Amino acid sequence: MAESDSGQLRVADTGDYDVVIIGAGFAGMYSLHKLRGEGNSCKVFERGTGVGGVWYWNRYPGARVDVESLEYSYTFSADLEREWKWTEAYASQPELEAYCNHVADRFDLRRDIQLETNVLACHFQEDSGRWLVTTNKGDRVTAKYLVMATGTLSEPKDIDLPGIENFKGELYRTSKWPRHEVSFAGKRVGEIGTGSSGIQCIPEIAKTAEHLTVFQRTAGFSMPSNNGPSDTRRTQEWFDRRDEMHRRQRESQLGLIMSEFGPNSAMEVSEEERRKMYEERWAQGGIAIVGSFNDLLFNKDSNESCAAFVREKIREKVANPQVAEKLVPTSHPIFTKRPCVDTGYYETFNRDNVELVDVRENPIERVTEKGVIAGGKEYEFDTLVLAIGFDAMTGAMTRIDIRGRGGKSIKDVWENEGPVSFLGLAVAGFPNMFMIAGPGSPSVLGNMMGAFEHNAGWIGNMIRYMRDHQLQTIEVDEKAQEDWTAEVERAANLTLYPQVDSWYTGANVPGKKRAFSAYLGGWANYLDTCDNSAADGYRGFRLSGVKENA
Ligand code: NAP
């Protein structure tokens, strides 16, 4: 017997399953629906007290999706698409979490999801060819297949602020926001970090805090979402033409229609045409601007023309020219660090109760009992909010003790070799273990929902193939992994991304091996490569029929 966080007694699970899925966010929920629907017995372990993954944990004020909700929805069920109506163009966290809960109920997923459970270890048993999965709740289950739906931005990075343990006020992380209400009214608040999470919560905190001090290390590029109520006519049109929309997504560079690349280079049109295009995309809102031309991710001059346009917009929004200059990004090409999408971010710095501290000029020395010392000055706070990012792409898997053949640990592999994989789906030495949107897939640089549905569908087909052919193990061929890793690097090196320190390259986590971790060779190309491997009898994998004795 084990006690759950809610105090209920439960019997630890010692069952044997076809598939164990780790994580009940969008990826894990769809994997469960798909794989269970194909007749597999499935068990899902989830750390949270509810489903939703990233939309369960990141419940900070202002959290909302930065891709239009129409494109950030499941597509596998026309009924679901027809039933669910987003109220805003960019859904807020509560609505996204409600959507996850609706899906869990609508498809009867909860009966196979065990909440409040941390998976501690997954060990491949060479004798049985099965995975043994153990949890902090005493569960010891086995599975023929392991599906890691652990998320790309789900493991907060370690707090690298000396003295943080001394702070006596309220301390919050955006990535682990509490479920209870947090009030900033009448409080002196310090906020560290100006990536997507910081940029979303800062305007909301500023609305009620007595005073807000924002500590910015790197000024980023942020585009206004121009969010508003959902356009019901557009939603209906989208639904009526859903097959065409899904085809257009599949054929686009990033899997998203809103950021579909225009046909021209920014350098082959006149300055006037260039500006007109940027204005149009700016008015469209969010990341639409990345598709203004076909070479903003590739050509330095084209990229700079877009960066200059956005800088100008920032200067227009901020009243104090000195503050504006601090907010204007100059350290990296636009888009090479994940661009942010905001609602009134820059305008927030026109408020009397908001102050910006540039920590490159005034480095944070340490956190004290009362606040933060930066540039020799102590800032006192009642509340400190950290939006300092994630151990992205690999962190959610390396925190679990995953061991494949010969006790090989995924942590060691990725620490030594970087985030290697074949197609972002699997890693050599870890038979029958598959990842959803893993490192080496387009992942965070593509359509996430599309990736979840594609990868889970691919895994479902693969399991059926294995069953039909009475095969027991499928594992990545080392040479295929080597070639794919080289292809990921080659594709990244055609762009401006790898030149910059970012969480895409692992540079935000001290000691992490630097490598670009997402595939940039084109969305359709990626999907085709995966599907062609399957059509070719799972080219790049070794399949064997070792008898199962579990
Ligand atoms: P992030 O992009 O990694 O930003 C972390 C911020 O904290 C950066 O400004 C970083 O500065 C700063 N920072 C980190 N450690 C620091 C330190 N010791 N001292 C001072 N500053 C420090 O993390 P995030 O904002 O949580 O976003 C991560 C990703 O999650 C996003 O890029 C996006 O893909 C996703 N996300 C999406 C949404 C959405 O869909 N709406 C919302 C939030 C997040 P440096 O840049 O100098 O390192």
Side-chain angles (χ1 to χ4, degrees):
M1 293 283 243
E3 196 171 319
S4 75
D5 292 349
S6 49
Q8 285 173 338
L9 287 178
R10 51 170 288 275
V11 178
D13 191 349
T14 54
D16 301 310
Y17 297 91
D18 293 325
V19 188
V20 161
I21 298 163
I22 306 180
F26 275 124
M29 290 203 298
Y30 179 66
S31 299
L32 172 60
H33 175 68
K34 175 77 186 157
L35 301 178
R36 195 175 67 182
E38 300 216 351
N40 297 294
S41 59
C42 297
K43 170 93 184 188
V44 181
F45 290 113
E46 162 58 48
R47 299 195 253 192
T49 60
V51 297
V54 86
W55 300 112
Y56 167 89
W57 295 104
N58 292 266
R59 48 200 322 116
Y60 57 84
R64 65 175 66 246
V65 66
D66 62 3
V67 166
E68 265 194 280
S69 304
L70 273 181
E71 299 214 58
Y72 195 76
S73 303
Y74 284 122
T75 65
F76 69 89
S77 161
D79 287 344
L80 175 64
E81 275 184 77
R82 190 183 311 107
E83 284 160 18
W84 187 266
K85 302 277 180 264
W86 297 108
T87 62
E88 294 176 283
Y90 292 81
S92 64
Q93 178 276 331
E95 194 168 20
L96 285 151
E97 195 184 12
Y99 178 66
C100 294
N101 279 291
H102 172 72
V103 170
D105 293 330
R106 171 78 173 71
F107 298 96
D108 188 22
L109 301 180
R110 295 188 198 277
R111 66 186 154 96
D112 291 318
I113 300 175
Q114 182 174 316
L115 300 170
E116 300 177 65
T117 306
N118 258 317
V119 171
L120 300 177
C122 305
H123 291 174
F124 183 68
Q125 315 285 289
E126 309 245 5
D127 50 353
S128 64
R130 295 178 68 84
W131 283 91
L132 172 66
V133 178
T134 52
T135 77
N136 67 335
K137 296 293 167 73
D139 309 290
R140 281 177 70 82
V141 303
T142 75
K144 184 163 176 187
Y145 299 98
L146 193 56
V147 173
M148 307 305 295
T150 39
T152 46
L153 291 153
S154 48
E155 187 62 20
K157 76 165 196 173
D158 291 342
I159 302 177
D160 49 359
L161 297 159
I164 190 71
E165 64 286 357
N166 299 325
F167 184 62
K168 291 273 191 286
E170 295 173 56
L171 178 67
Y172 300 104
R173 286 196 81 164
T174 47
S175 50
K176 282 197 168 173
W177 201 261
R179 293 184 76 77
H180 62 78
E181 193 168 340
V182 175
S183 169
F184 299 102
K187 298 203 172 132
R188 298 162 303 164
V189 183
E191 192 280 345
I192 302 178
T194 54
S196 298
S197 306
I199 274 177
Q200 287 189 333
C201 71
I202 287 164
E204 289 303 311
I205 297 172
K207 283 179 189 165
T208 55
E210 181 189 305
H211 192 268
L212 171 64
T213 307
V214 175
F215 293 90
Q216 169 191 273
R217 189 163 67 184
T218 306
F221 290 91
S222 185
M223 273 64 72
S225 66
N226 300 335
N227 187 31
S230 275
D231 178 339
T232 45
R233 213 181 65 193
R234 192 161 158 251
T235 306
Q236 186 58 44
E237 272 172 22
W238 180 285
F239 184 75
D240 292 343
R241 295 164 54 203
R242 65 190 286 276
D243 289 346
E244 181 198 336
M245 295 316 222
H246 297 164
R247 181 185 51 73
R248 280 179 58 195
Q249 283 178 325
R250 198 186 197 284
E251 288 168 2
S252 68
Q253 181 69 18
L254 304 174
L256 294 166
I257 296 173
M258 69 179 291
S259 55
E260 209 162 348
F261 287 9
N264 300 316
S265 158
M267 293 294 101
E268 69 191 14
V269 301
S270 68
E271 200 174 330
E272 201 185 350
E273 281 174 80
R274 204 157 47 225
R275 180 153 196 108
K276 186 166 169 280
M277 176 59 82
Y278 288 144
E279 288 288 3
E280 271 171 29
R281 295 280 183 144
W282 182 263
Q284 208 178 318
I287 57 162
I289 199 164
V290 70
S292 307
F293 296 99
N294 63 17
D295 60 349
L296 299 184
L297 302 181
F298 305 93
N299 179 312
K300 224 167 176 232
D301 295 335
S302 298
N303 180 287
E304 177 51 30
S305 72
C306 184
F309 173 84
V310 176
R311 288 190 202 111
E312 209 179 290
K313 292 286 186 195
I314 298 170
R315 289 189 180 102
E316 282 168 16
K317 284 166 188 269
V318 183
N320 179 327
Q322 279 159 354
V323 176
E325 281 322 300
K326 288 191 169 88
L327 289 165
V328 163
T330 51
S331 68
H332 56 283
I334 187 169
F335 309 123
T336 53
K337 275 165 101 83
R338 164 84 177 200
C340 304
V341 176
D342 70 274
T343 307
Y345 174 65
Y346 294 110
E347 295 84 344
T348 300
F349 293 92
N350 296 334
R351 298 177 65 110
D352 293 341
N353 67 334
V354 178
E355 176 184 4
L356 180 66
V357 176
D358 180 339
V359 306
R360 290 200 192 268
E361 278 172 20
N362 299 291
I364 295 177
E365 290 157 34
R366 65 194 156 90
V367 179
T368 65
E369 275 190 23
K370 293 182 183 160
V372 173
I373 299 182
K377 175 178 170 188
E378 184 166 22
Y379 298 81
E380 293 189 8
F381 302 121
D382 303 303
T383 306
L384 197 51
V385 174
L386 307 182
I388 57 173
F390 296 85
D391 182 355
M393 305 300 280
T394 53
M397 280 179 63
T398 54
R399 82 178 167 81
I400 302 172
D401 179 24
I402 301 174
R403 290 180 189 268
R405 280 204 193 282
K408 187 175 183 173
S409 134
I410 196 84
K411 192 163 189 277
D412 289 348
V413 172
W414 283 345
E415 266 177 17
N416 296 327
E417 299 175 40
V420 294
S421 78
F422 181 50
L423 305 175
L425 282 168
V427 181
F430 299 83
N432 294 11
M433 182 185 88
F434 289 86
M435 304 178 288
I436 307 283
S441 73
S443 188
V444 285
L445 287 167
N447 176 335
M448 290 304 275
M449 297 299 264
F452 301 157
E453 291 186 350
H454 173 274
N455 286 176
W458 189 98
I459 293 167
N461 293 340
M462 176 275 299
I463 292 178
R464 192 169 348 104
Y465 180 95
M466 295 287 287
R467 193 184 298 127
D468 291 349
H469 291 79
Q470 296 183 317
L471 293 161
Q472 299 305 326
T473 52
I474 171 166
E475 53 196 303
V476 171
D477 179 74
E478 284 80 0
K479 177 73 170 68
Q481 176 164 296
E482 215 176 281
D483 290 349
W484 182 252
T485 303
E487 165 63 8
V488 173
E489 194 180 341
R490 181 202 65 79
N493 286 339
L494 295 176
T495 73
L496 304 168
Y497 283 101
Q499 300 170 11
V500 171
D501 283 350
S502 69
W503 59 257
Y504 295 133
T505 61
N508 68 326
V509 173
K512 196 165 176 176
K513 191 167 168 95
R514 195 184 163 120
F516 198 79
S517 52
Y519 181 54
L520 281 163
W523 180 249
N525 180 31
Y526 169 74
L527 300 183
D528 289 345
T529 307
C530 296
D531 295 346
N532 291 340
S533 156
D536 212 5
Y538 296 90
R539 186 166 18 91
F541 292 90
R542 284 197 305 272
L543 280 60
S544 59
V546 180
K547 221 173 174 9
E548 192 175 6
N549 47 15

